[in-house]
Amino acid sequence: MKIVVLVKQVPDTETSIKVGDKAINEAGVKWIISPYDEFAIEEGIRIREKSGGEVIAVSLGPDRVVEALRTAYAMGVDRAIHVKVDDYMTFDSTYTSELLANLIKAENADLVIGGRQSIDTDSSQVVIQIAERLNVPHIAMALKLEFDGKKVTATREVEGGTEVVETSAPVAVTAQKGLNEPRYPSLKGIMSAKKKPVDVKKPEELGATASKLEVVSLEPPPPRIAGRKLEAGDAAGFASQLVKALREEAKVI
């Protein structure tokens, strides 16, 4: 089985983010693998350990994403591919999915797996768009995966519970927390990962059009408006003040 694992590099949640005119200021930013993608990497490795095959980690972005691919190598993937886009814009899921889908099609993968969402843009769109471009089934929020030849049985999270679905490979999957427990890279794995090759692909090699999305400006959300405490002698008084505030100040009733 050939498994492609999508790896996105994102700012660490503890990093202080400073906003520039059209992008974040990357100076001093600590970059990590998006946590949900760690579940995807681990699942790909476990499937290979059980059934054989090859796990290929793919990351799209500028030169710095090679660090994420080295981490994937240290965890145990077999190959790493860097889709090099120097002017990569993380909000453009359409361009991202186009490039990745073309690469995955060329690799003839049986399974494409990524995290349920990245922790920077939270779009949850790329894997779904890849499935649509490749015309393959998509399983979202997977908590368990089982393979029997080409048959795929998955337990996935849905609102209020779980459901079991069946389909056949090739298939695209998004990993939810609980699918597994990602392993820590060993010291031996970290050292050997530094020497392993990273295949570089450019957009023109993948036959993708240029990005059609432009960021005009980027700014932090406005500060939260301070709350106001109501004071009254009884419930009727509180209710009267609340209704008055909703009608005259918030103007929602």
Side-chain angles (χ1 to χ4, degrees):
M1 178 179 289
K2 183 177 284 191
I3 303 164
V4 169
V5 178
L6 304 180
V7 180
K8 186 176 183 183
Q9 191 184 53
V10 298
D12 192 323
T13 53
E14 297 183 357
T15 294
S16 177
I17 302 295
K18 297 180 181 179
V19 177
D21 290 337
K22 297 185 179 182
I24 67 169
N25 184 343
E26 295 190 5
V29 172
K30 179 183 177 182
W31 298 92
I32 62 171
I33 292 176
S34 187
Y36 289 108
D37 289 350
E38 293 182 351
F39 297 111
I41 296 171
E42 177 66 27
E43 193 65 16
I45 294 170
R46 291 190 184 195
I47 293 170
R48 182 204 61 202
E49 290 173 343
K50 182 178 180 180
S51 306
E54 181 183 34
V55 182
I56 307 165
V58 177
S59 190
L60 187 149
D63 289 335
R64 59 173 165 74
V65 307
V66 172
E67 181 182 347
L69 291 172
R70 297 286 181 202
T71 301
Y73 257 140
M75 291 177 70
V77 305
D78 301 295
R79 278 202 287 140
I81 300 175
H82 173 202
V83 181
K84 191 174 185 300
V85 182
D86 293 323
D87 57 350
Y88 170 60
M89 201 231 296
T90 186
F91 302 105
D92 195 347
S93 59
T94 300
Y95 184 47
T96 300
S97 67
E98 182 182 14
L99 286 167
L100 294 176
N102 290 351
L103 172 65
I104 293 163
K105 184 176 181 179
E107 288 289 343
N108 196 27
D110 300 292
L111 171 64
V112 180
I113 184 167
R116 55 165 281 186
Q117 66 193 80
S118 61
I119 64 167
D120 53 356
T121 59
D122 287 327
S123 73
S124 303
Q125 293 182 26
V126 171
V127 178
I128 300 171
Q129 290 185 24
I130 288 172
E132 184 69 18
R133 291 180 185 277
L134 297 177
N135 194 30
V136 301
H138 167 248
I139 300 171
M141 311 276 279
L143 294 169
K144 184 179 180 181
L145 287 175
E146 295 178 335
F147 289 83
D148 182 8
K150 290 289 185 179
K151 179 183 176 182
V152 185
T153 304
T155 301
R156 61 182 295 266
E157 184 176 295
V158 295
E159 186 174 358
T162 61
E163 71 175 6
V164 177
V165 296
E166 291 184 355
T167 187
S168 59
V171 61
V173 176
T174 54
Q176 169 63 309
K177 181 179 181 180
L179 177 61
N180 52 54
E181 187 65 36
R183 68 194 68 191
Y184 288 101
S186 65
L187 179 59
K188 180 181 179 181
I190 293 171
M191 298 305 293
S192 63
K194 295 179 180 179
K195 302 177 182 178
K196 291 186 176 180
V198 175
D199 189 13
V200 179
K201 299 288 186 181
K202 295 182 180 180
E204 53 267 29
E205 296 178 69
L206 300 175
T209 58
S211 174
K212 295 182 176 65
L213 189 66
E214 178 185 359
V215 175
V216 176
S217 66
L218 192 65
E219 58 188 47
R224 182 176 296 178
I225 299 174
R228 181 160 63 87
K229 184 178 180 180
L230 301 178
E231 295 184 2
D234 54 24
F238 279 117
S240 177
Q241 288 187 46
L242 179 58
V243 170
K244 183 179 180 180
L246 292 174
R247 177 180 294 120
E248 298 178 3
E249 298 176 28
K251 299 185 186 300
V252 295
I253 60 174

